[in-house]
Amino acid sequence: MIITKKRDFKELMENIKNYRSFFLLGCSECSTLCGTGGEPELKAMKETLEAEGKKVTGAFVAKTGCQVLGTKVELKAFKDAVTEAECILVMSCGAGTQTAVELYEDKPVYPTNDSLFLGNMTRLQMFDERCSLCGKCILDKTGGICPVTACPKGLLNGPCGGTNEGKCEVSPDIECAWVRIYNRMKRLGKLEEMGKIAEPKDWAAHRKPMSLNARSHPEK
Ligand code: SF4
Ligand code: SF4
């Protein structure tokens, strides 16, 4: 999921200081799990804005904010509230914000959150980055642990000389990704595969902006 955190409120208020009325748009998926854009957060934002003398014309938690067509259909029921608002505040990730930009070309749209990374939720509202969306996955060669993401240097052949008792030289709070990979490969009886030198990564697979038509994929 996309991990978000709330923006500094003063920064947000500076962005919207010239507007008096707002429509709030959240998302029931990632930002709900992050505690940044679900029902409780929209309710709290409404109360906060009203305490600041602003008007909230309506609020809605979209099923999947980055799904443009689905969100467009859902928002039809809020046509009047959106029209009445001078500005839309999107309480999901940057993708959700840009759904609103696409749907409401003539209306200012502002994010209330910063989008941080693709994360795994390990416990309630605790998230770890495990994949960098690099475009060409190497987990098949690294025992399923990603050094592009888990090693601060993104080393494809490791460990580096700084590893110390299983910890990373960048921070003692980080397990060395390559020690983890070694231990995993050993457990799987695949240590001999670690003797192969990985070629430099082809970062062309990560050229932005990425786009994909999944319907054009071959069946097999
Ligand atoms: S190699 Fe790492 S960053 Fe790239 S797709 Fe696989 S898990 Fe994600
Ligand atoms: S100690 Fe391990 S995780 Fe840290 S930079 Fe070196 S190889 Fe990467």
Side-chain angles (χ1 to χ4, degrees):
M1 76 180 76
I2 303 300
I3 309 307
T4 48
K5 74 173 175 54
K6 293 175 186 171
R7 301 194 97 170
D8 176 70
F9 190 67
K10 276 191 192 147
E11 184 185 354
L12 175 65
M13 288 308 289
E14 181 61 25
N15 280 337
I16 63 172
K17 65 183 178 193
N18 294 328
Y19 304 109
R20 288 160 300 170
S21 53
F22 301 87
F23 183 83
L24 309 181
L25 181 60
C27 173
S28 78
E29 307 269 3
C30 311
S31 58
T32 287
L33 287 171
C34 290
T36 56
E39 297 285 357
E41 293 77 34
L42 266 70
K43 184 171 179 286
M45 179 64 79
K46 180 176 186 297
E47 289 169 2
T48 303
L49 290 172
E50 287 173 349
E52 297 281 331
K54 310 283 190 187
K55 181 176 181 184
V56 175
T57 64
F60 175 62
V61 176
K63 185 169 184 306
T64 310
C66 56
Q67 218 270 56
V68 179
L69 291 181
T71 304
K72 182 178 181 180
V73 170
E74 289 178 318
L75 283 170
K76 278 185 179 165
F78 298 89
K79 188 170 180 288
D80 292 345
V82 173
T83 302
E84 186 189 348
E86 291 179 350
C87 174
I88 298 173
L89 288 184
V90 181
M91 299 177 65
S92 58
C93 66
T97 301
Q98 289 172 81
T99 292
V101 168
E102 183 170 335
L103 296 180
Y104 304 107
E105 289 180 330
D106 300 324
K107 206 165 274 284
V109 175
Y110 286 92
T112 65
N113 299 325
D114 288 319
S115 304
L116 303 179
F117 56 90
L118 171 69
N120 289 44
M121 187 160 86
T122 53
R123 295 200 180 152
L124 188 63
Q125 294 193 351
M126 292 179 70
F127 307 96
D128 284 341
E129 185 179 23
R130 295 187 181 170
C131 171
S132 301
L133 303 174
C134 70
K136 185 62 186 164
C137 194
I138 60 167
L139 289 179
D140 54 326
K141 300 177 180 63
T142 59
I145 295 166
C146 176
V148 176
T149 310
C151 166
K153 298 174 189 172
L155 295 181
L156 299 187
N157 296 285
C160 72
T163 185
N164 185 11
E165 296 185 356
K167 300 291 183 185
C168 173
E169 69 170 343
V170 172
S171 165
D173 297 332
I174 302 173
E175 303 284 326
C176 171
W178 277 101
V179 170
R180 288 176 57 212
I181 291 169
Y182 175 89
N183 288 336
R184 170 97 170 138
M185 294 296 260
K186 189 175 178 188
R187 202 171 294 134
L188 297 176
K190 294 184 172 187
L191 272 183
E192 76 285 354
E193 292 183 22
M194 291 191 74
K196 294 175 194 157
I197 305 293
E199 296 290 318
K201 197 159 182 57
D202 177 10
W203 286 101
H206 190 60
R207 198 164 37 213
K208 294 194 182 290
M210 301 281 279
S211 187
L212 171 72
N213 178 354
R215 286 180 297 186
S216 67
H217 276 186
E219 288 299 314
K220 288 186 180 175

